Amino acid sequence: MHRFANPARFLRIARVVTPLAGWIAVATLLAGAVFGLVLSPPDYQQSETVRIMYVHVPSAWLALQSYIAMALAAAVALVWKHPLADLFVKAAAPVGAGFTLLCLITGSFWGRPTWGAWWVWDARLTSMLVLLFLYVGYMALAGAFDDEERGHRAGAVLVLTGIVDVPIVKFSVEWWNTLHQPTSVFRLGGPTIASEMLWPLGLMVVGFTAFFVWIVCVRLETELLHRKIRARLENTPA
């Protein structure tokens, strides 16, 4: 863990990972879009509206995974004071918030023809909205301090406190009566979704994940470059 906390070592790794993740994202998203939006069959009940799933489900998955990754990095930052951990949380927050917003928007478009309403105070919808507020709250809190380090610490505490919302989102369909169907992909008994839909969905999940890795690496590299420039300017004699 300490090896990868070194900014110079991270930059060397990022120069390899960043373009690789970018190309994987482009390839899998294009393939997933073609198979999911064009070649996969319509659902026997939901017809063509089921195609929203190929964006909605991966965005929901990445919304949760992004927050889990942020919480792990926040814990590392608070306990071990790793210099890159705080930067990772800062870099990942807008990306995770974007996935969460995309999940809510696509869910609304999917819910209108399926449930007859753009929004209902369903347990999963409400807990996902809370997740969006946690993302936005972190960004607002971390940027509210003149001392960047204090802002990072306060934001890390908020992120760790908000992690309780992740299992609520995940298990809401099992704990309460909701309009959402139970998990049909990531389940112990295996997926219940048809293979013609499962493969495009898997490609989209890989593509969204690769996009997350790519954009976070780019943001981290940019933040490290800004810090390097600020340090040089501060050490330059007037």
Side-chain angles (χ1 to χ4, degrees), residues 183-195:
T183 301
S184 58
V185 179
F186 303 103
R187 56 193 300 273
L188 292 178
T192 59
I193 187 173
S195 59

Side-chain angles (χ1 to χ4, degrees), residues 54-187:
Y54 299 113
V55 177
H56 177 72
V57 173
S59 60
W61 171 255
L62 263 298
L64 295 177
Q65 300 309 311
S66 300
Y67 198 89
I68 292 171
M70 285 174 56
L72 291 173
V76 169
L78 289 174
V79 176
W80 288 287
K81 304 293 191 295
H82 278 209
L84 283 179
D86 280 327
L87 293 185
F88 175 85
V89 181
K90 181 180 179 181
V95 188
F99 282 129
T100 309
L101 182 61
L102 180 61
C103 171
L104 291 170
I105 291 173
T106 54
S108 181
F109 280 110
W110 199 0
R112 183 66 179 88
T114 305
W115 300 335
W118 294 102
W119 179 269
V120 292
W121 290 104
D122 176 89
R124 174 158 286 179
L125 279 172
T126 305
S127 55
M128 186 60 77
L129 181 62
V130 170
L131 186 66
L132 178 62
F133 291 157
L134 286 169
Y135 276 117
V136 175
Y138 163 79
M139 291 185 285
L141 181 61
F145 291 82
D146 293 331
D147 185 343
E148 187 178 37
E149 186 175 344
R150 289 180 60 199
H152 283 161
R153 283 201 303 271
V157 172
L158 175 61
V159 169
L160 289 174
T161 304
I163 193 65
V164 297
D165 188 53
V166 172
I168 293 176
V169 174
K170 171 63 178 174
F171 297 108
S172 57
V173 295
E174 299 173 17
W175 293 345
W176 299 284
N177 289 324
T178 73
L179 294 174
H180 280 82
Q181 67 180 34
T183 301
S184 58
V185 179
F186 303 103
R187 56 193 300 273

